[in-house]
Amino acid sequence: MNEGDLLRGVAMEKKILIVDDEEKIRVMLETVFNKTGFITFTAETAQGGLDLMAENDIKIMFLDLKLPDISGLELCIKMKELDPCTIIYALTGYASNFDFSICREAGFDDYFTKPTDIGTLRKAAEEAFEKIERWEEN
Amino acid sequence: MSDSIDLTESTILIVDDDAISIQMVQAILEKREYKIITAASGEECLQKAKAHSPDLILLDITMPGMSGIEVCKLLQQDSVTQNIPVIFVTADTDNTTLEEAFSAGGMDYVCKPINRVELTARIDSALTQRALGEKLLEKEKLNAILELAGGVCHELNQPLQVVSGYSQLLLSELPENDSRQEMVKTMVNQIDRIAEITRKLMNITRYKTRKYLGKSKIIDIHGASKITERKDNQKISG
């Protein structure tokens, strides 16, 4: 982290949204991300996620594909429609080649299968933040 | 999975008390690369069918001692031999004989004297049917496994993510010379190993088993998965 980063950090909060119906996953990820300077918001349902995204202008999301109300795929499509300048990651319990291309079609920027190393998730969040910053500058 | 069926490696058991008849059939089948076994009686047929599990049995109906019909009934009663297709060879094509033959479990019949074209056509048909049936069964087994694996993995991966996340976090927060580092490192590695297993399960592409205890078998996860190596993008980092 350099001076520029610190200044930017003040100007732009590193907000991140986790949407997963499992409480333990939400709590664990919140702990992991908060320890690296993110402000983590969590939601149990897709609608909850949409509400938090609107209220807090969040640009970085991790979505589970299996949610109680609408699927993670539909949620991603909705979120990208509301704000195309978001980075949305899938974090899902099941993986297959079939799922990956469907996710890309829905607009997911990347796709992680549980369990993913926290280092990988943090790196993805940091990269997302860097991109969003760059977009906001332009 | 390949869609073409290769019948050349098929094993055919020819059963006839008349050695000349057997030789004639062998001559007809010479051009194909079948593996041929022969039996001269019903008892020998049963014994060889159990021992060799042929892909097809050509069974003479009229034999001294046990008739072909009786042999077929006994083949049907044994789980090892009940799925082997039987083509009867008979000089009697009256309705009674044919009815008995089919109700005993026969798949088809050819008349004596044997017509070369007819015999090879019926053999091909029976073998193809058998091969298709086995393919279908394997496909169904594989689908059932994939459904089970998918369901199980999805459930396992959730708690695995939680445990994985916290143990990696714990490792990163322990001081470098802390004696507990080794224990937590081991936890992290073992969780990684479980994760590898669920990944392999989710990528099973064929039905492959291995011996377990006694006669029981279990799915050979490592042999059945298309993932043969550990994915390197999942290295442990703080």
Side-chain angles (χ1 to χ4, degrees):
Chain A
M1 249 196 359
N2 58 33
E3 193 186 34
D5 290 333
L6 280 168
L7 287 172
R8 271 196 294 274
V10 170
M12 191 177 160
E13 287 175 314
K14 289 164 72 173
K15 287 184 267 192
I16 197 168
L17 171 65
I18 315 281
V19 186
D20 194 307
D21 63 342
E22 288 234 5
E23 192 213 344
K24 295 276 187 287
I25 299 227
R26 294 196 303 273
V27 170
M28 185 273 292
L29 290 174
E30 192 177 7
T31 310
V32 163
F33 286 119
N34 284 355
K35 280 185 188 268
T36 39
F38 281 95
I39 300 169
T40 313
F41 297 84
T42 65
E44 200 180 337
T45 62
Q47 190 53 55
L50 285 165
D51 294 340
L52 283 172
M53 176 190 171
E55 285 160 22
N56 299 282
D57 190 30
I58 308 171
K59 305 272 186 187
I60 305 170
M61 343 277 180
F62 281 86
L63 313 179
D64 188 12
L65 292 188
K66 196 169 76 66
L67 295 169
D69 39 1
I70 61 168
S71 78
L73 291 171
E74 285 172 67
L75 178 57
C76 181
I77 292 171
K78 279 197 163 134
M79 284 177 162
K80 287 284 188 180
E81 271 171 14
L82 288 168
D83 184 358
C85 296
T86 47
I87 302 267
I88 307 182
Y89 296 128
L91 178 60
T92 179
Y94 186 71
S96 73
N97 294 332
F98 168 76
D99 284 348
F100 181 61
S101 48
I102 299 245
C103 281
R104 292 289 288 156
E105 275 171 24
F108 278 105
D109 294 274
D110 208 338
Y111 174 93
F112 300 100
T113 56
K114 290 168 183 165
T116 299
D117 285 355
I118 57 177
T120 306
L121 296 175
R122 276 174 173 162
K123 186 169 166 227
E126 293 290 351
E127 280 171 2
F129 181 64
E130 274 165 33
K131 253 191 200 165
I132 304 277
E133 263 193 318
R134 223 181 343 105
W135 294 345
E136 306 256 308
E137 272 168 24
N138 292 339
Chain B
M1 217 188 290
S2 158
D3 277 342
S4 63
I5 296 178
D6 181 13
L7 303 176
T8 51
E9 304 258 306
S10 307
T11 305
I12 301 183
L13 170 59
I14 309 173
V15 187
D16 201 314
D17 59 309
D18 177 24
I20 308 243
S21 298
I22 291 188
Q23 276 172 31
M24 273 171 56
V25 172
Q26 273 182 298
I28 293 175
L29 299 180
E30 207 176 33
K31 289 206 179 110
R32 306 295 179 91
E33 283 162 33
Y34 300 136
K35 186 177 163 210
I36 305 281
I37 320 173
T38 64
S41 69
E43 289 85 359
E44 204 185 340
C45 168
L46 292 169
Q47 181 236 325
K48 286 199 172 169
K50 263 191 172 165
H52 299 277
S53 282
D55 297 295
L56 179 77
I57 303 176
L58 275 176
L59 185 50
D60 183 23
I61 286 189
T62 319
M63 292 189 291
M66 223 191 281
S67 76
I69 307 270
E70 283 165 2
V71 172
C72 193
K73 284 182 185 167
L74 287 169
L75 285 167
Q76 288 291 302
Q77 284 168 20
D78 193 320
S79 58
V80 175
T81 54
Q82 68 189 183
N83 291 320
I84 305 174
V86 170
I87 298 182
F88 282 112
V89 179
T90 176
D92 305 314
T93 53
D94 59 287
N95 284 347
T96 314
T97 309
L98 292 181
E99 256 174 40
E100 271 188 332
F102 284 115
S103 56
M107 180 190 264
D108 206 343
Y109 73 96
V110 285
C111 308
K112 273 183 172 176
I114 294 180
N115 176 298
R116 179 181 59 86
V117 172
E118 198 183 350
L119 179 67
T120 46
R122 286 179 198 265
I123 286 178
D124 281 349
S125 173
L127 288 175
T128 303
Q129 215 171 311
R130 177 177 166 79
L132 284 172
E134 284 185 346
K135 267 201 169 186
L136 186 64
L137 187 62
E138 181 155 326
K139 212 170 183 177
E140 281 176 357
K141 275 184 181 173
L142 194 58
N143 281 343
I145 289 176
L146 287 170
E147 283 170 2
L148 178 66
V152 166
C153 288
H154 188 264
E155 296 302 309
L156 280 180
N157 286 337
Q158 308 283 27
L160 206 48
Q161 176 70 79
V162 178
V163 177
S164 165
Y166 280 135
S167 55
Q168 283 170 29
L169 203 55
L170 190 58
L171 188 62
S172 70
E173 290 182 359
L174 282 178
E176 276 219 20
N177 46 11
D178 192 311
S179 59
R180 292 166 296 179
Q181 276 253 346
E182 273 314 301
M183 278 197 282
V184 182
K185 262 189 196 155
T186 303
M187 276 169 58
V188 169
N189 286 327
Q190 293 303 299
I191 289 163
D192 222 27
R193 201 176 141 194
I194 301 173
E196 201 179 321
I197 289 170
T198 58
R199 259 196 300 280
K200 283 190 175 183
L201 262 178
M202 292 187 292
N203 283 282
I204 282 182
T205 51
R206 54 207 176 104
Y207 182 73
K208 195 168 190 291
T209 57
R210 62 181 179 91
K211 283 195 182 147
Y212 188 48
L213 293 171
K215 280 189 177 176
S216 69
K217 289 189 202 166
I218 53 174
I219 293 290
D220 177 2
I221 295 174
H222 307 287
S225 180
K226 73 177 183 224
I227 292 182
T228 47
E229 289 165 12
R230 192 186 141 159
K231 278 190 179 171
D232 280 333
N233 65 354
Q234 299 268 318
K235 280 202 166 29
I236 296 162
S237 54

